[in-house]
Amino acid sequence: INFAKETARQLQVVDYDKLKKQWVHFDLHPGNVNYTGYKLSGIFDFDWVRFDNRLADLACTLGQSCYHYNGKNKALYDKNKITLGLKAYRRAYGKREYNLHKENQIIKAALRGYMFFQLLWIIEWHIKNPKNKKGYEYIQFSLDVLKFNNFDKLIN
């Protein structure tokens, strides 16, 4: 509950509802892209497409692509991967529409919001698929991601 309240507060601080919106994938991670050699050749799985801020798309990509699923760092984000992802995105995107501090605030708030959304989605998925033994594992993992990461320190 505290995570949800703090996420809502951070989204309000950045006036998230007033940010520019566009169509975003909202589920862009390595499993939903295809490469031929070193070139992107396809993007898949558009069932979460929504009208949102482009930085929400970046936040959810980081959210799904930069944590450890197993091992001693299970459920922890790899800050180096996040930093590299932000650097690559910023180089590719070009001129930003917000100053760096504001952009980082938006990404942090959107990352928190996305991870909370993902937890709720996993719970709903498990309710619809109660026989799948992985459901409890996925729910626990998502809770651990929310509990063990300091989202404010992941992005400088």
Side-chain angles (χ1 to χ4, degrees):
I1 292 173
N2 290 337
F3 185 89
K5 286 180 181 178
E6 178 59 19
T7 299
R9 187 193 72 74
Q10 287 188 23
L11 290 168
Q12 287 175 340
V13 165
V14 298
D15 286 326
Y16 192 83
D17 290 338
K18 295 178 184 174
L19 298 176
K20 285 190 214 178
K21 305 288 191 258
Q22 65 186 46
W23 290 108
V24 298
H25 189 277
F26 210 64
D27 192 23
L28 198 56
H29 57 81
N32 284 341
V33 295
N34 190 52
Y35 290 90
T36 302
Y38 291 101
K39 293 187 179 191
L40 178 69
S41 59
I43 298 176
F44 311 100
D45 191 10
F46 289 88
D47 59 338
W48 284 6
V49 167
R50 67 191 64 235
F51 201 64
D52 206 332
N53 184 272
R54 70 176 175 81
L55 294 174
D57 215 22
L58 172 60
C60 75
T61 299
L62 295 171
Q64 291 190 76
S65 304
C66 296
Y67 56 65
H68 299 276
Y69 193 77
N70 291 309
K72 70 175 187 157
N73 292 323
K74 183 178 180 178
L76 294 177
Y77 278 103
D78 183 328
K79 188 173 178 177
N80 188 48
K81 285 184 180 179
I82 289 175
T83 300
L84 290 172
L86 286 170
K87 185 177 179 180
Y89 176 83
R90 288 172 172 151
R91 192 171 353 143
Y93 187 79
K95 186 179 179 201
R96 65 175 61 93
E97 55 200 297
Y98 311 102
N99 69 48
L100 183 61
H101 176 73
K102 171 91 175 188
E103 185 174 273
N104 284 342
Q105 279 185 302
I106 294 167
I107 295 167
K108 283 186 230 183
L111 176 60
R112 292 176 68 95
Y114 174 75
M115 293 313 297
F116 188 70
F117 166 83
Q118 189 176 52
L119 171 64
L120 297 176
W121 185 87
I122 290 167
I123 291 169
E124 181 182 26
W125 174 85
H126 181 59
I127 289 168
K128 292 177 181 177
N129 300 280
K131 293 181 182 179
N132 189 314
K133 306 245 186 262
K134 291 281 193 179
Y136 289 115
E137 177 185 326
Y138 297 152
I139 291 169
Q140 186 59 58
F141 178 80
S142 291
L143 287 169
D144 289 348
V145 168
L146 299 182
K147 188 168 39 173
F148 295 133
N149 287 282
N150 183 341
F151 285 80
D152 296 326
K153 293 188 177 187
L154 289 174
I155 299 168
N156 297 332

